[in-house]
Amino acid sequence: MPSPIPVTRLLPKDLYPCVDIGTCSSPLAQPGRGSTLQVPAQRPHGRVTSRFWSTVIHWDQLRSVVPVGSGGFGSVYKAEYLGETVALKKVKKSSKNQLASRQSFWAELNAAHLTHKNIVRVLAATTCVPADFEVEDSIGTILMEFVGSRNLQQIIYGSSELLEPNRSLKFSADIADGLRFLHSHGVVHLDIKPANVLVSRTEVCKIADFGCSLKLDRDPELISPYLSHVCGTYTHRAPELLRGEPVSSKVDIFSFGITLWQLLTREPPYTGDRQHIMYSVVAHGLRPSVQSHSVFRSDWGRLCATLLGRCWSADTRLRPSSLGSDHVI
C-alpha cells in the first residue's frame, strides 16, 4: 500500500489567489431595508459560471427541479439552471425562533463573495420568490453549485467504501485548504463536521452550510464579540463556545480536529448524554480517544495523534492556525 500523505504537507504554504470583492450586508443590521440584498457585484445574466453571485434568480430558467433532501433548515433541490446542474436551497422560517432562522439565512451568504475549490459556490440568492416556487414560511432561496449527493458523514458511517490513510488525509487536506481560505477573509464557519462537507464525483471535498458562520470585522486570529445565539453541533463545538465566550477562527480548528478523528477511526466521537458530554468537554477536558485505536500506533498515526491534541487543546493559543507559519497541518 502506498505511504500516506505526510501530515506536514497537507496544507500549501502559499495562499490561494482569490477574488475578495466585499462582504454581504444583512438587513438585520439595517432597519427598513426590507428584503434587499446588498451585493458586491452583479452576475451577468446567462453566466452561471461567473465568480460573482447575484441577487436575481431567473425563475423561468429553472428546469427539472427534484427534491434531494430536507431538514429543520428547509429543503434542497437538484435542478437545471441556464444549462448547468445546480442546487436550490429553500430556507424556511423557524416557528420557535424566527430571528435565529433569519440570521441563519443571511449567514449563509457570508462566503458568497468568495471563490475556492473547497467551498461550495453561491450563484444567486433572493428573498423574493414567485408564488409557484414559494414554500410556506420561507425566508429566501439560495442557488448554489451542485457538488453531488454525498457528504463525509455518509462516507464515514453509511458506506462500505475504504477509507485508507491516503484518502482520509486527502479529504482532511481539502477541508484545511477551505478553512485557510475562509479564515484569510475573516469568515469563521462555526459548524465544521462531516455532514457539512460535500464530496464530488472526483473526490474533492467542499465546505457547505454556512448558516452558523460569522464574518469577523478584524483580524480573524483575534477574538470577536459574543455570538447572539447558540450555533454548531455540540459534539464538534469548542469549549469556549460551550462556555459562551467570544469567538475566533480557532473554534473551526477544534471542529476540524474532531472531524479528522472521525475520518481516521470511522466512529462517533462521543457516546452518552448530551449535557454530560458538553459538561465533560469543558470541565474535564473530554476528547475522543486515541489510545484505544490501532490507527494511531504507526509513525504517521502518532503524528496525527499529536496534531489532534493540538487542534482540540482547551487553550486556543496552543491550537495551530490556518494562517501564517503555524499551519493547521
Side-chain angles (χ1 to χ4, degrees), residues 76-79 85-89 123 142-147:
V76 177
Y77 303 81
K78 179 181 179 182
T85 302
V86 298
L88 188 70
K89 185 172 186 177
L123 306 173
I142 303 172
L143 202 65
M144 303 170 288
E145 68 168 312
F146 183 78
V147 178

Side-chain angles (χ1 to χ4, degrees), residues 163-229:
L163 267 176
E164 65 277 4
N166 275 344
R167 191 180 184 210
S168 296
L169 295 180
K170 191 274 179 189
F171 286 163
S172 300
D174 283 353
I175 301 170
D177 283 350
L179 285 178
R180 184 179 183 185
F181 186 80
L182 289 172
H183 294 170
S184 72
H185 289 81
V187 177
V188 183
H189 188 277
L190 291 178
D191 198 18
I192 293 296
K193 60 181 180 180
N196 285 343
V197 179
L198 303 182
V199 183
S200 73
R201 289 185 177 181
T202 56
E203 296 275 279
V204 175
C205 288
K206 292 177 180 279
I207 298 172
D209 293 317
F210 284 79
C212 289
S213 67
L214 184 69
K215 183 70 171 70
L216 303 184
D217 294 328
R218 299 175 291 174
D219 185 331
E221 291 303 310
L222 300 177
I223 59 176
S224 82
Y226 294 86
L227 289 174
S228 60
H229 61 285

Side-chain angles (χ1 to χ4, degrees), residues 273-316:
D273 177 73
R274 171 192 174 109
Q275 293 299 324
H276 175 74
I277 289 171
M278 291 192 295
Y279 173 79
S280 297
V281 167
V282 173
H284 302 300
L286 175 67
R287 301 293 187 269
S289 173
V290 296
Q291 287 81 14
S292 59
H293 293 279
S294 60
V295 68
F296 297 111
R297 294 171 189 165
S298 64
D299 289 341
W300 71 270
R302 283 188 285 272
L303 287 174
C304 286
T306 300
L307 171 63
L308 291 175
R310 295 178 62 207
C311 286
W312 58 43
S313 171
D315 187 344
T316 59

Side-chain angles (χ1 to χ4, degrees), residues 121-136:
R121 181 165 51 97
V122 172
L123 306 173
T126 182
T127 56
C128 301
V129 183
D132 53 339
F133 280 93
E134 186 61 272
V135 175
E136 186 178 0

